[in-house]
Amino acid sequence: MLFRSVRDQNAEEKKGVQNYFSTPPNYAEALLPLLSAVDKGSSYAAYLLGAMHEYGRGVPVDVHKAIAFYRLGIERGQVSDSLLSLYQLARAYSKVRDFRQSYLWAALALIGSNETAASASTLLSSVGGQLTSEQIAESRQRASDCFARFYRGC
């Protein structure tokens, strides 16, 4: 579920989301409300900030910051927000050539969501070609452990 009901959003998150998805998007105006929403625990705002940093939407491209926001969203997250972030995190790790982490999070995306399964499967195939069979087995085990812990400490 990409959008949650307005009832589930705090005021900062609502303002940030409205600016993020306005036509045309106003990422500069979305930034501060989304940061404030993250400070108040919003996993969805963390996901959107991750996307802003990954793609340079209103901020300079910084994949490492994107990774940090995606992980924060996953660790805090409501399930729907975490599922959105799993695949994005896997892709971001592949961009910085951390293929073990990419494989781990793509495997979790494959486990966790039908919406991202096809994309995650494609990414697993691509990233898996960069890893040894031992690294793949280790990543699969870590993915299973992370899933069992609801992504905490991953």
Side-chain angles (χ1 to χ4, degrees):
M1 167 181 18
L2 182 57
F3 298 101
R4 290 184 288 140
S5 73
V6 173
R7 288 175 302 180
D8 296 337
Q9 296 176 337
N10 64 47
E12 290 84 3
E13 183 182 61
K14 182 179 176 184
K15 183 178 179 184
V17 168
Q18 286 173 339
N19 284 307
Y20 188 96
F21 290 106
S22 64
T23 306
N26 191 342
Y27 300 122
E29 290 294 320
L31 182 62
L32 291 179
L34 290 175
L35 286 169
S36 178
V38 166
D39 287 343
K40 293 180 179 177
S42 171
S43 57
Y44 188 56
Y47 165 76
L48 293 176
L49 286 165
M52 288 174 71
H53 284 87
E54 183 177 0
Y55 300 108
R57 296 176 177 156
V59 295
V61 171
D62 187 332
V63 179
H64 294 285
K65 280 187 181 179
I67 287 169
F69 278 116
Y70 289 143
R71 287 186 72 121
L72 183 63
I74 290 165
E75 290 174 3
R76 286 187 177 169
Q78 292 184 332
V79 172
S80 60
D81 300 336
S82 295
L83 295 176
L84 288 169
S85 297
L86 290 171
Y87 174 70
Q88 293 297 118
L89 182 57
R91 275 204 357 220
Y93 271 120
S94 73
K95 288 181 178 181
V96 296
R97 305 193 56 77
D98 187 338
F99 298 119
R100 284 182 175 183
Q101 286 291 330
S102 180
Y103 195 94
L104 165 74
W105 293 103
L108 286 167
L110 187 61
I111 292 168
S113 169
N114 289 334
E115 293 176 25
T116 59
S119 297
S121 180
T122 300
L123 184 60
L124 278 173
S125 296
S126 172
V127 170
Q130 305 295 320
L131 301 173
T132 66
S133 58
E134 292 82 17
Q135 290 171 322
I136 290 172
E138 176 189 330
S139 293
R140 286 181 178 161
Q141 182 59 52
R142 287 186 59 219
S144 178
D145 294 345
C146 285
F147 187 72
R149 291 191 314 264
F150 302 102
Y151 315 118
R152 301 293 190 253
C154 297

